[in-house]
Amino acid sequence: MSLPVGATIGILGGGQLGRMLASAAAKLGFRTIVFAPGEGLPAAQTASQHMDADYLNTRALQAFAAACEVVTLEWENVPVAALDVITAAGTDVRPGKTALDVAQDRASEKRFLESIDIACAPWREVDSLADLKGAIEEVGPDAILKTRRDGYDGKGQVRLKAGDDLNAAWESLKGAPAIIEGLVPFEVEISIVLARGMGGEIATYPVPRNHHAGGILRRCEVPANVSSATRAEAVDKARRLADALEYVGVLALEFFVLADGSLLANEFAPRVHNSGHWTPEACLTGQFENQIRAVAGWPLGPTDLLAPAEMDNLIGEDAQAPLSDLLQRGSLTLYGKGEIRPGRKMGHVVRLLRD
Amino acid sequence: MSLPVGATIGILGGGQLGRMLASAAAKLGFRTIVFAPGEGLPAAQTASQHMDADYLNTRALQAFAAACEVVTLEWENVPVAALDVITAAGTDVRPGKTALDVAQDRASEKRFLESIDIACAPWREVDSLADLKGAIEEVGPDAILKTRRDGYDGKGQVRLKAGDDLNAAWESLKGAPAIIEGLVPFEVEISIVLARGMGGEIATYPVPRNHHAGGILRRCEVPANVSSATRAEAVDKARRLADALEYVGVLALEFFVLADGSLLANEFAPRVHNSGHWTPEACLTGQFENQIRAVAGWPLGPTDLLAPAEMDNLIGEDAQAPLSDLLQRGSLTLYGKGEIRPGRKMGHVVRLLRD
């Protein structure tokens, strides 16, 4: 059932993704309400309305549900209990609870991927120091210890090398359930960003090559220089994931590409994704608009690439460069965050590479 | 003096132009306050804040001025007295009073254009029925009678042909000071949309061919099929106008192109313009972003055309077409207006024509 023009779309989460979703929704004539605790949030600045309440505030969630024709999200760590309240109040949340449930726990995420034949790098659950010592034997000493929940942009992660003090690494997680992933010798990282509509139709974006540093995405180059077979396999896997989750909206699935062209999945995000931030400038329809179209039950827009493109994140002090330098680099997007902090995503720049 | 990231830009006027300006400002990290009387206005839905007050409410204007680092406008008929209050309160308005003063009166507009050697179609001031009868003798019977002030989208205009009842035409304007323009046998209509920065630098957009019906813009085709000499002359005239007004921001100057390629100016708008609505999709930097950059004192963005484009306005019942049809036609923008009325601009569609 598709939303009428002028309907109100709720957005759970108040960051830059919600900010760009709200602007995309406005382009299509929708109103938006951002539900997120805090003041002066990036998304609150572009939404029609902001409800400043905790994600577990039942009464506020019910009022939010009553004011919205449909609810979507910009943050995968919204408590699933919030989705239950909204759904019980009679308003659909797209994507739904299943995708969040799976994505919020790195162990269930990897199990889900493997259950639909999407291979991941070797990994083990780690609930104790003893688990960690045993797992290292299996996945190898070059590994990353990650909390199962609530990590992002390299937070909640410890990089391990041979000879490292496993005790200290384990202590640093403060007893949080974790997984360990063996590092794989990949050539490049890519991601598939796709939109899946309410009728199951899928629109996939051109494939970016992603460059990370310190666990944070720094740069995308589109199209990635990978073989058409590798690209087709990655797209096929991402479509399989979206179908298996009966997904509605935009999702991103990240891959390591090994020297032989084979793929290992890293993780997926049940939302618009930083590795798709070049799409508004470089494609006929950006990821934010397609997320809105999908959750509104509208037809998806074409994702054709207008020109090869590069996207650079502005992280922390990157945003302190002279404005003229930033503007010189391409189309600038800033997120309306007041304080520059190390590792904080402040904006991004997209450059189209024309003939 | 350029605005810092995160500054607040005021926008006088609450329509779709303000709506798109506020979204463009948000992309660059600015906050916006829309000042306009009324509820649920298109621009209020995308701005950070809305001040609902009359344009002659001095106290409200002073509060607005105090809350904004700079003020711009999306409607040329904002009373210049409002600009005086804001400026007296210490906040610059860009573009300034001169451009508005000239543009708000069709007679002073044409006199200004002619004073800088920009030829217009033949015209006369008309303040009485006797004036009208005399003027018709001079400009010819095929003419348009227009109120000097407050007309837009064909409102306040009467089309005259040989044998028409001049008395009835004059009565219909209810005594408002008017002008009469002789119709010229033009081949096509074009417009020059340009941005002029605080240092006087100018960025001009590719030239659209504009199709009007009933005094309302219906369609743009870019680039217009006119000779390079005609294009260069039109650009030169628009630059001359912007320089003469010491203009800051985006303006549009409309022309009739005659069979011999010569140009007659129609009118100019001291603001972003409907004939530039294809620029966000089709150019590296859209007109709304360049307006924001100009009034913020930031460098202007490049205006290169990514692909030939067509823009169709959705006027009145055009917006009642099935959604799937509208989306099929290209990139859809809707203005968040609740009620569809005949002649009301509801949105537009931009189609890129790729090789």
Side-chain angles (χ1 to χ4, degrees):
Chain A
M1 188 199 52
S2 74
L3 259 55
V5 168
T8 300
I9 297 176
I11 300 171
L12 289 160
Q16 64 267 21
L17 303 180
R19 180 183 178 89
M20 293 182 276
L21 282 172
S23 288
K27 173 176 178 291
L28 295 174
F30 292 111
R31 289 159 192 264
T32 47
I33 304 177
V34 161
F35 188 108
E39 288 181 9
L41 301 174
Q45 295 166 33
T46 61
S48 317
Q49 190 184 333
H50 173 211
M51 293 181 71
D52 172 6
D54 190 85
Y55 293 117
L56 298 175
N57 181 333
T58 300
R59 193 166 300 211
L61 288 167
Q62 287 168 337
F64 176 60
C68 298
E69 268 92 350
V70 71
V71 167
T72 187
L73 51 96
E74 64 111 46
W75 185 48
E76 67 270 36
N77 288 320
V78 172
V80 290
L83 275 62
D84 288 336
V85 173
I86 295 165
T87 306
T91 301
D92 284 348
V93 182
R94 300 172 191 152
K97 185 178 170 178
T98 308
L100 251 66
D101 245 343
V102 170
Q104 285 181 357
D105 179 339
R106 291 185 189 280
S108 62
E109 180 184 13
K110 288 179 188 294
R111 268 195 293 270
F112 191 86
L113 291 170
E114 290 173 345
S115 77
I116 53 173
D117 283 332
I118 299 176
C120 301
W123 68 282
R124 295 291 183 278
E125 287 188 46
V126 172
D127 293 322
S128 67
L129 180 58
D131 282 354
L132 177 57
K133 288 177 174 169
I136 281 284
E137 297 299 314
E138 296 180 336
V139 305
D142 269 341
I144 306 184
L145 183 66
K146 299 178 175 178
T147 57
R148 283 173 60 170
R149 290 185 168 271
D150 296 329
Y152 69 97
D153 284 353
K155 294 180 175 62
Q157 302 192 3
V158 186
R159 173 79 165 82
L160 297 175
K161 298 184 303 295
D164 276 357
D165 179 352
L166 296 183
N167 194 41
W170 175 246
E171 291 294 324
S172 74
L173 298 192
K174 302 189 174 88
I179 64 164
I180 190 159
E181 290 176 13
L183 284 192
V184 291
F186 61 84
E187 296 276 300
V188 298
E189 293 178 274
I190 62 172
S191 56
I192 302 297
V193 179
L194 65 75
R196 186 172 183 274
M198 286 188 63
E201 72 280 15
I202 287 177
T204 60
Y205 281 94
V207 180
R209 174 177 178 178
N210 303 327
H211 300 264
H212 290 84
I216 307 182
L217 181 69
R218 299 282 163 167
R219 181 183 177 81
C220 298
E221 295 161 357
V222 195
N225 183 20
V226 294
S227 72
S228 58
T230 296
R231 186 166 53 244
E233 186 189 338
V235 167
D236 182 64
K237 286 179 168 171
R239 294 178 71 104
R240 202 184 313 156
L241 173 63
D243 285 340
L245 292 168
E246 296 182 31
Y247 196 86
V248 176
V250 169
L251 68 70
L253 176 56
E254 295 180 300
F255 291 100
F256 303 116
V257 183
L258 309 192
D260 65 357
S262 64
L263 294 166
L264 292 175
N266 180 16
E267 62 183 29
F268 81 89
R271 53 168 169 76
V272 288
H273 194 252
N274 197 166
S275 71
H277 280 10
W278 46 274
T279 59
E281 283 89 352
C283 295
L284 281 179
T285 314
Q287 66 168 346
F288 304 101
E289 177 166 335
N290 261 337
Q291 166 83 359
I292 295 297
R293 288 186 185 214
V295 304
W298 287 21
L300 301 176
T303 55
D304 310 46
L305 192 68
L306 292 169
E310 298 173 348
M311 189 277 304
D312 285 305
N313 270 342
L314 302 175
I315 296 171
E317 63 186 13
D318 292 348
Q320 281 174 319
L323 197 57
S324 54
D325 291 359
L326 296 178
L327 291 168
Q328 190 67 38
R329 290 168 60 187
S331 175
L332 176 67
T333 300
L334 294 172
Y335 303 154
K337 297 179 180 179
E339 195 193 344
I340 296 178
R341 291 196 297 261
R344 193 177 200 200
K345 290 177 176 170
M346 303 302 295
H348 64 267
V349 181
V350 175
R351 184 166 50 260
L352 299 189
L353 307 171
R354 303 172 63 216
D355 304 329
Chain B
M1 187 200 53
S2 73
L3 259 54
V5 169
T8 299
I9 297 177
I11 300 171
L12 288 160
Q16 64 266 21
L17 302 180
R19 180 183 178 90
M20 294 183 274
L21 282 171
S23 289
K27 173 177 179 289
L28 295 175
F30 291 111
R31 290 159 192 265
T32 47
I33 304 177
V34 161
F35 188 107
E39 287 182 9
L41 301 174
Q45 295 166 33
T46 61
S48 318
Q49 190 184 332
H50 173 211
M51 294 181 72
D52 172 6
D54 190 85
Y55 294 117
L56 297 176
N57 181 332
T58 301
R59 193 167 300 212
L61 287 167
Q62 287 168 337
F64 175 61
C68 298
E69 269 92 350
V70 71
V71 167
T72 186
L73 51 96
E74 64 110 47
W75 185 49
E76 67 270 36
N77 287 321
V78 172
V80 291
L83 275 61
D84 288 337
V85 174
I86 295 166
T87 306
T91 301
D92 285 347
V93 182
R94 299 172 192 153
K97 186 178 168 177
T98 308
L100 250 65
D101 245 342
V102 170
Q104 285 180 358
D105 179 338
R106 291 185 188 280
S108 62
E109 180 183 12
K110 287 179 189 296
R111 270 196 292 269
F112 191 87
L113 290 170
E114 290 173 346
S115 77
I116 54 173
D117 283 331
I118 299 176
C120 301
W123 68 282
R124 294 291 182 278
E125 287 187 46
V126 172
D127 292 322
S128 66
L129 180 59
D131 283 354
L132 177 57
K133 288 178 174 170
I136 281 284
E137 298 298 315
E138 296 181 336
V139 305
D142 269 340
I144 307 184
L145 183 65
K146 299 179 176 178
T147 57
R148 283 172 61 168
R149 292 186 167 270
D150 297 328
Y152 70 98
D153 285 353
K155 295 178 174 63
Q157 301 192 4
V158 185
R159 173 80 165 80
L160 297 175
K161 300 185 302 296
D164 277 357
D165 178 353
L166 296 183
N167 194 41
W170 174 247
E171 291 294 324
S172 73
L173 298 192
K174 302 188 174 96
I179 64 164
I180 190 159
E181 290 176 14
L183 284 192
V184 292
F186 61 83
E187 295 276 300
V188 299
E189 293 177 274
I190 62 172
S191 55
I192 302 298
V193 179
L194 65 75
R196 186 172 184 274
M198 286 189 62
E201 71 280 15
I202 286 178
T204 59
Y205 282 94
V207 180
R209 174 178 179 179
N210 303 326
H211 299 263
H212 290 83
I216 307 182
L217 181 69
R218 300 281 163 166
R219 180 182 178 82
C220 297
E221 294 162 357
V222 195
N225 184 20
V226 294
S227 72
S228 58
T230 296
R231 187 165 52 243
E233 185 189 340
V235 167
D236 181 63
K237 287 179 168 171
R239 295 178 70 104
R240 201 184 313 155
L241 173 63
D243 286 340
L245 292 168
E246 297 182 32
Y247 196 85
V248 176
V250 168
L251 69 69
L253 176 56
E254 297 180 300
F255 291 100
F256 303 116
V257 184
L258 309 192
D260 65 357
S262 65
L263 294 167
L264 292 176
N266 179 16
E267 61 182 31
F268 80 90
R271 53 167 169 76
V272 288
H273 194 254
N274 197 166
S275 72
H277 281 9
W278 47 273
T279 59
E281 283 88 352
C283 295
L284 282 178
T285 313
Q287 67 167 345
F288 305 100
E289 178 165 335
N290 261 338
Q291 165 84 359
I292 295 296
R293 288 186 185 214
V295 304
W298 287 21
L300 302 176
T303 54
D304 309 47
L305 192 67
L306 292 168
E310 297 172 350
M311 189 275 305
D312 285 306
N313 271 342
L314 302 175
I315 297 171
E317 63 186 13
D318 292 348
Q320 280 174 320
L323 197 59
S324 54
D325 291 359
L326 295 178
L327 291 167
Q328 190 67 36
R329 290 168 60 187
S331 175
L332 176 67
T333 300
L334 293 172
Y335 303 154
K337 297 179 180 178
E339 193 193 346
I340 295 177
R341 292 195 296 260
R344 194 177 199 199
K345 290 177 176 171
M346 303 303 294
H348 64 267
V349 180
V350 176
R351 183 167 49 260
L352 299 189
L353 307 170
R354 304 172 62 216
D355 305 330

